[in-house]
Amino acid sequence: FPELGADVAGRVVALGPGTSRVRVGDEVMGDVSGAGFGAFAEYVSAPEFALVAKPASLTFEQAATLPQAGGLALAALRFGRRVQAGDRVLVNGAGGGVGTVATQAATALGARVTGVDAPHKLAGVRAAGAEEVIDYTREDAFTTGERYDRIVDVTSRRPLRAYRRVLRPRGVAAIIGGSIPRVFFALAVGPLTPLAGGRRLGVPRWSANDEDDMAFLLRLVDAGAVRPVLDSVYPLDRVAEAFARFDASEHVGKIVVTVGS
């Protein structure tokens, strides 16, 4: 699968002409989705803007979980207006890669997080900092009567009226995943659609390796506020098994594929 794979973490072994931000031997991580993908390989060629220094506190496997998931999570938390201390935040799909980062980052910002996911993921959601958890197989988070300042929806499958019902006035719902028809509908109705009462919904604009986002994410990592949630590690020759685990939604956090030892 040479065209697959977005996140990378590794050591720089060679440089192209004009490279100035990285040096041979640097330990780096990044999202190469904007440069042709191709992370499932022994060697990856990427523009230097797609790479940042790997925190010394993280292993390569841990670092590989963060670039894309972290960027999407932070985009969802700043969408419309930034999450603030005291906000109530609902993370729907809180047990995956994006959800665990969003939960930790929102908690670090002083928000109170409710995480929604399958029962086998709820312990991981609590460990990520969620104050409350909801097992979606037993309870619908959108009909409990609770209201939220922010919804981060990684598994969107709901009509617009459902978001309007659970958002507080001036609340924002950020859709960053889910069924293809629902995401396309959210994109079609506008980047930040009003839902009455100052409520808004949309799909956040996101840029891979945004400098401000990556700098903020790494500060949270350095402070211990965000820690990678590493579900499992597969060697490259077992990448099909990694995808099977992902497709079955058995994972908590991120699945990583490694090359060599």
Side-chain angles (χ1 to χ4, degrees):
F1 307 105
E3 75 282 6
L4 294 180
D7 293 308
V8 296
R11 188 173 288 107
V12 177
V13 297
L15 300 176
T19 304
S20 60
R21 290 178 52 181
V22 297
R23 297 176 297 179
V24 171
D26 283 355
E27 296 184 348
V28 297
M29 66 186 209
D31 177 356
V32 297
S33 61
F37 292 88
F40 293 164
E42 293 183 69
Y43 295 95
V44 177
S45 176
E48 59 182 343
F49 67 77
L51 304 171
V52 297
K54 178 186 77 68
S57 61
L58 301 183
T59 66
F60 286 117
E61 290 83 1
Q62 289 174 320
T65 70
L66 289 176
Q68 188 171 98
L72 287 167
L74 294 181
L77 294 177
R78 71 163 187 264
F79 186 55
R81 68 170 182 84
R82 293 180 182 273
V83 166
Q84 302 171 359
D87 280 354
R88 291 289 308 278
V89 176
L90 178 71
V91 181
N92 190 33
V98 176
T100 51
V101 176
T103 297
Q104 292 179 81
T107 300
L109 293 170
R112 299 169 55 201
V113 178
T114 297
V116 182
D117 219 310
H120 67 281
K121 299 190 179 189
L122 296 185
V125 174
R126 282 196 183 279
E131 186 175 295
E132 299 175 350
V133 296
I134 294 176
D135 172 0
Y136 77 81
T137 68
R138 299 174 62 88
E139 187 175 15
D140 184 352
F142 286 71
T143 61
T144 63
E146 295 292 333
R147 300 290 183 268
Y148 301 93
D149 301 287
R150 171 74 47 138
I151 298 172
V152 177
D153 200 343
V154 189
T155 60
S156 172
R157 291 177 174 82
R158 299 176 181 276
L160 296 185
R161 63 179 179 276
Y163 297 96
R164 184 169 58 244
R165 185 169 58 239
V166 298
L167 282 173
R168 289 175 171 173
R170 300 187 65 251
V172 177
I175 295 177
I176 54 174
S179 69
I180 297 300
R182 180 55 52 198
V183 173
F184 277 148
F185 177 72
L187 284 168
V189 297
L192 202 56
T193 304
L195 298 178
R199 302 170 180 86
R200 293 173 291 174
L201 171 145
V203 178
R205 290 185 177 182
W206 164 75
S207 176
N209 307 296
D210 179 88
E211 288 191 26
D212 291 339
D213 281 351
M214 291 305 295
F216 182 63
L217 177 64
L218 294 180
R219 286 198 296 272
L220 293 177
V221 170
D222 287 341
V226 168
R227 297 295 299 173
V229 179
L230 182 58
D231 174 82
S232 49
V233 179
Y234 289 82
L236 184 61
D237 61 1
R238 292 174 57 198
V239 68
E241 294 176 47
F243 271 101
R245 181 169 179 81
F246 177 82
D247 288 342
S249 195
E250 296 173 348
H251 62 292
V252 178
K254 293 281 283 187
I255 301 169
V256 171
V257 174
T258 62
V259 176
S261 59

